[in-house]
């Protein structure tokens, strides 16, 4: 059956199928992530970016493909994450501009759309580099152009585009030295191939939502992916030297054009772009009438943000130290080579903030960690990824923060392995719960016992007030130290040691035996020892432990059991 046009119905199916393909295969795409630097997981970024676009399309009730394409472009722009997500948004920005006045799409319409996709994508990158996702979209556009006069069937055209995308993807290994060095294809290009495959499968009536994620065949295993990497022994990123990263901070920001108190300039793309181009590489600047999104690798993230603020107020700010990320990857590779990666019966997954707290949870029996907590709650997808990647038959998740409960429950509902939630509201509760884990029991049995242990510990937090307020009959001034016990502000004061001691005093009862002091990024061992001495004076029989947690926000976490 000849498919002469793509209607709004087919287009919506194509977009939703592509979102599904990226989600299904994001782990495989992540496994290839090596270019240009490890500033995020390409598969995760592309999946989340395209999912945003797909949700915009799903909400649009219009009958014209052009209108749906505009929604896809807008959703991708708003949801774009990382370098790969931003370039993907530009590909479909070019596509949507070409078809914005089309009710349906013919072979010629699709050809012109892909040609414009390639043009806009290349134009959006400061220094276009072959061997990347750009090479793949160029291959797709060329295939459409070559096939344009030979068929009226858009399904045939899309199959030709998919075949060309695969060939272009394979060429990336030879085109980019860093890919050849580690033996992989470009991760962003692989993501785009999955998108085009979904388009072709929908138009040819082949798409099956129950298809398994892509499994590398022998050729891919041998030719494209280093065997040790594919077996999980060493990541391809781990082969890069952190010192080779010229611009160390991956900086991303969204600007609301003309909004805010610091606006000095009307937005002009060239004026905006030219200043940023002198401050780094991997620069991407994309915009519509309302927002500008910036992605750049730089040594001067402060200058980037200051410049952007001259055009509007800022949101979605993200600055990653890529050298530190690379050091972590290398360390993880070293550690993973020393550990048994055989399947576990039960994974214990803990949400923690701070390297020291992570080590504490590991020492207590946590098998997997998720970075997060107060002010940086992990998403449902973050939790789901950790569960599905745990290599276990079942899992127990410790959120360690009440704000994470709902996301944890949603992740558990859709995870590939059975997952139980232990509703730990604090890190102290999580540590107490994990101690009671019995490897001889099932996840269900352990979860019941661990839940019962939560009430046996009192959790205290020391932090500073950010404004004047009156609460719980306490008159609190900005910068006062506050002692928060199980979510309630119990004490406040000007002196840290006294406030911490007063807080602990409210937590003690006749059954109290152990006090644990965990100092964070704004705390230190010397002050922790002073708190220890003051608390010991309250009750000389108390056993007091001190640990370096490295957590943000709270200089000291103090628990009483």
């Amino acid at each position: 059956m000849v498919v002469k046009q793509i209607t709004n119905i087919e287009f919506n199916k194509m977009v939703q199928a592509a979102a599904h393909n990226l989600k299904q295969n994001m782990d495989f795409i992540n496994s290839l992530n090596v270019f240009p630097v490890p500033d995020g997981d390409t598969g995760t970024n592309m999946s989340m970016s395209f999912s945003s676009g797909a949700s915009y399309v799903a909400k649009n009730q219009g009958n014209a493909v052009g209108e749906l394409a505009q929604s896809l472009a807008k959703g991708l722009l708003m949801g774009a994450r990382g370098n790969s997500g931003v370039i993907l948004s530009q590909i479909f920005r070019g596509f949507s501009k070409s078809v914005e006045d089309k009710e349906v799409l013919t072979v010629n319409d699709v050809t012109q759309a892909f040609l414009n996709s390639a043009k806009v994508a290349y134009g959006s990158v400061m220094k276009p580099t072959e061997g990347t996702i750009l090479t793949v979209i160029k291959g797709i556009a060329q295939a459409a152009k070559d096939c344009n006069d030979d068929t009226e069937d858009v399904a045939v055209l899309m199959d030709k585009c998919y075949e060309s995308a695969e060939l272009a993807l394979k060429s990336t290994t030879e085109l980019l030295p860093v890919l050849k060095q580690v033996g992989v294809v470009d991760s962003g290009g692989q993501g785009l191939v999955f998108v085009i495959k979904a388009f072709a499968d929908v138009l040819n009536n082949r798409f099956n939502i129950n298809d398994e994620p892509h499994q590398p065949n022998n050729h891919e295993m041998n030719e494209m992916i280093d065997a040790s990497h594919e077996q999980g022994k060493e990541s391809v990123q781990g082969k890069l030297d952190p010192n080779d990263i010229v611009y160390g901070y991956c900086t991303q920001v969204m600007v609301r054009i003309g909004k805010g108190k610091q606006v000095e300039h009307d937005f002009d793309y060239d004026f905006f772009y030219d200043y940023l181009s002198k401050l780094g590489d991997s620069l991407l600047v994309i915009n519509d009438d309302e927002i500008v999104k910036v992605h750049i690798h730089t040594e001067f993230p402060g200058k980037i943000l200051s410049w952007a603020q001259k055009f509007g107020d800022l949101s979605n700010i993200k600055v990653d130290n890529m050298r530190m990320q690379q050091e972590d990857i290398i360390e993880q590779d070293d550690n993973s080579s020393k550990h048994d990666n055989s399947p576990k019966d039960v994974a214990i997954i803990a949400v923690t903030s701070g390297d020291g707290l992570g080590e504490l949870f590991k020492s207590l029996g946590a098998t997997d960690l998720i970075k997060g907590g107060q002010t940086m709650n992990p998403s449902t997808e973050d939790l789901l990824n950790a569960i599905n990647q745990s290599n276990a038959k079942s899992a127990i998740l410790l959120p360690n923060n009440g704000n994470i409960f709902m996301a944890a429950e949603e992740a558990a509902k859709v995870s590939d392995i059975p997952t139980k939630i232990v509703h730990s509201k604090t890190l102290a509760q999580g540590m107490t719960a994990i101690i009671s884990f019995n490897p001889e029991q099932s996840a269900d049995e352990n979860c019941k016992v661990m839940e019962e242990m939560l009430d046996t510990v009192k959790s205290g937090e020391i932090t500073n007030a950010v404004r004047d307020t009156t609460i719980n009959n306490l008159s609190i001034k900005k910068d006062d130290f506050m002692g928060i016990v199980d979510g309630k502000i119990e004490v406040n004061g000007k002196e840290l040691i006294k406030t911490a001691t007063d807080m602990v005093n409210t937590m003690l009862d006749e059954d109290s035996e152990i006090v644990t002091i965990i100092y964070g990024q704004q705390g230190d061992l010397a002050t922790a020892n002073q708190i220890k001495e003051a608390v010991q004076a309250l009750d000389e029989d108390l056993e007091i432990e001190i640990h370096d947690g490295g957590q943000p926000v709270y200089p000291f976490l103090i628990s009483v059991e």
Side-chain angles (χ1 to χ4, degrees):
M1 177 182 171
V2 176
V3 183
K4 289 192 174 183
Q5 60 186 25
I6 298 172
T7 69
N8 62 316
I9 295 173
E10 282 82 27
F11 188 78
N12 183 46
K13 288 179 180 178
M14 290 161 61
V15 169
Q16 304 307 324
H20 173 80
N21 260 14
L22 285 173
K23 185 175 181 180
Q24 278 281 88
N25 294 287
M26 63 183 177
D27 288 341
F28 174 67
I29 300 170
N30 284 342
S31 75
L32 305 172
N33 188 50
V34 68
F35 177 81
V37 285
D39 62 340
D41 291 323
T42 302
T44 304
N45 286 340
M46 294 186 79
S47 177
M48 296 181 74
S49 300
F50 206 91
S51 291
S52 175
S55 67
Y56 272 60
V57 172
K59 293 173 185 175
N60 191 322
Q61 301 299 311
N63 293 321
V65 173
E67 186 180 341
L68 297 185
Q70 296 296 308
S71 290
L72 175 61
K74 181 70 172 182
L76 273 164
L77 172 62
M78 297 302 293
R81 294 184 180 223
N83 210 345
S84 56
V86 173
I87 296 177
L88 187 65
S89 76
Q90 290 305 280
I91 288 171
F92 285 97
R93 175 171 172 257
F95 190 101
S96 69
K97 285 290 184 184
S98 179
V99 304
E100 59 187 353
D101 60 347
K102 305 292 183 182
E103 291 287 328
V104 297
L105 303 185
T106 64
V107 161
N108 188 61
D109 295 330
V110 173
T111 297
Q112 296 305 315
F114 279 141
L115 287 169
N116 201 48
S117 292
K119 178 181 177 182
V120 172
Y122 271 84
S124 69
V125 180
M126 182 168 61
K127 297 176 182 176
T129 304
E130 295 301 334
T132 67
I133 189 174
L134 296 176
T135 299
V136 177
I137 186 56
K138 183 171 72 174
I140 292 166
Q142 187 62 51
K145 184 179 180 181
D146 293 343
C147 186
N148 187 68
D149 295 333
D150 298 333
T151 183
E152 295 181 347
D153 193 333
V154 288
V156 171
L157 179 80
M158 203 64 73
D159 263 346
K160 293 294 184 183
C161 290
Y162 170 54
E163 291 171 10
S164 182
E166 287 275 29
L167 289 173
L169 177 67
K170 290 177 182 177
S171 75
T172 61
T173 306
E174 296 300 321
L175 290 170
L176 202 60
V178 69
L179 297 179
K180 189 172 184 178
Q181 176 188 347
V182 297
V184 297
V185 295
D186 178 65
S187 53
Q190 178 67 79
L192 182 57
V193 168
F194 283 126
V195 170
I196 299 302
K197 182 180 188 300
F199 287 2
D201 285 349
V202 167
L203 292 175
N204 287 278
N205 203 30
R206 295 189 301 255
F207 181 74
N208 182 357
I209 200 168
N210 295 316
D211 282 348
E212 292 295 315
H214 175 74
Q215 296 296 324
N217 57 37
N218 288 335
H219 176 74
E220 288 172 315
M221 294 273 281
N222 295 330
E223 298 290 331
M224 297 193 297
I225 299 181
D226 183 273
S228 65
H229 160 63
E230 187 60 29
Q231 294 162 9
K233 295 179 182 177
E234 181 179 1
S235 72
V236 294
Q237 298 96 327
K239 299 184 179 183
L240 298 177
D241 186 340
N243 294 322
D244 291 338
I245 298 174
V246 177
Y247 296 104
Y249 296 92
C250 175
T251 304
Q252 300 180 63
V253 62
M254 182 184 292
V255 186
R256 292 200 307 162
I257 298 173
K259 305 290 185 181
K261 297 180 179 181
Q262 306 300 321
V263 175
E264 296 181 12
H265 303 297
D266 293 333
F267 181 75
D268 176 81
Y269 185 91
D270 292 336
F271 179 55
F272 184 84
Y273 186 100
D274 288 346
Y275 176 84
L276 296 179
S277 67
K278 300 177 178 67
L279 297 178
D281 63 12
S282 295
L283 172 62
L284 291 168
V285 176
I286 58 176
N287 70 284
D288 59 16
D289 294 336
E290 300 173 352
I291 66 166
V292 185
K293 293 198 78 168
V294 176
H295 173 285
I296 186 171
H297 298 159
T298 182
E299 286 294 287
F300 314 102
K303 289 185 179 180
I304 303 299
L305 300 180
S306 295
W307 177 248
Q309 198 171 15
K310 296 178 186 294
F311 297 85
D313 60 17
L314 310 182
S315 64
N316 294 23
I317 298 170
K318 188 170 185 284
V319 179
D320 292 320
N321 185 325
M322 296 184 296
R323 296 187 186 97
M324 288 180 63
Q325 287 180 330
Q326 185 64 8
E327 291 167 1
D328 288 344
I329 288 169
I330 293 171
E331 182 179 354
Q332 289 167 10
D333 284 340
D334 290 342
N335 290 336
S336 66
S337 66
K338 302 172 186 176
H339 290 86
D340 179 14
N341 287 323
S342 58
K344 303 179 281 285
D345 286 331
V346 180
I348 304 177
I349 305 170
V351 179
T352 64
S353 56
D355 292 339
L357 279 165
E359 290 302 316
L360 268 176
F361 271 90
K362 282 282 191 179
S363 70
L364 293 173
T367 59
D368 301 88
L369 302 176
I370 304 171
K371 287 189 176 181
Q374 196 68 22
T375 76
M376 50 180 180
N377 298 160
S379 67
T380 299
E381 186 166 21
D382 294 333
L383 299 168
L384 180 61
N385 288 341
I387 295 168
N388 289 340
Q389 295 168 16
S390 65
N391 198 26
K393 297 176 183 176
S394 60
I396 294 174
L397 181 60
L398 295 164
N400 299 331
N401 187 298
N403 288 334
I404 303 174
F405 285 1
M406 292 183 68
E409 297 289 357
E410 291 303 312
K413 288 178 185 176
V414 296
S415 62
D416 294 338
I417 63 176
T419 302
K420 293 290 182 182
I421 310 297
V422 175
H423 294 84
S424 50
K425 294 181 179 179
T426 66
L427 290 156
Q429 284 190 341
M431 286 187 280
T432 298
I434 203 172
I435 291 172
S436 64
F437 176 79
N438 183 348
E440 301 300 320
Q441 295 181 324
S442 68
D444 283 351
E445 292 169 325
N446 271 298
C447 189
K448 291 176 183 176
V449 175
M450 292 167 80
E451 284 276 358
E452 292 171 358
M453 293 297 295
L454 298 180
D455 291 334
T456 66
V457 61
K458 297 175 183 177
S459 306
E461 302 158 334
I462 298 294
T463 191
N464 294 99
V466 297
R467 63 179 181 274
D468 294 353
T469 188
T470 300
I471 189 169
N472 297 335
N473 295 320
L474 297 174
S475 178
I476 301 171
K477 300 298 182 182
K478 185 177 182 295
D479 296 326
D480 274 3
F481 291 102
M482 299 183 296
I484 306 170
V485 180
D486 292 323
K488 181 181 178 182
I489 302 173
E490 293 286 358
V491 297
N492 68 295
K494 301 295 183 184
E495 299 294 330
L496 171 59
I497 307 300
K498 184 177 187 309
T499 303
T501 309
D502 290 346
M503 180 187 74
V504 173
N505 198 31
T506 69
M507 301 164 70
L508 296 173
D509 58 35
E510 60 183 13
D511 297 321
S512 300
E513 297 178 351
I514 301 171
V515 176
T516 303
I517 303 170
I518 300 174
Y519 61 93
Q521 294 174 4
Q522 286 78 47
D524 56 73
L525 179 59
T527 308
N529 276 316
Q530 288 181 279
I531 295 172
K532 176 180 178 179
E533 292 176 6
V535 170
Q536 198 79 74
L538 297 175
D539 184 345
E540 62 182 13
D541 293 328
L542 289 171
E543 179 182 337
I544 303 177
E545 300 177 0
I546 296 177
H547 298 281
D548 178 3
Q551 72 275 4
V553 183
Y554 299 109
F556 295 93
L557 300 175
I558 304 177
S559 63
V560 176
E561 300 175 74

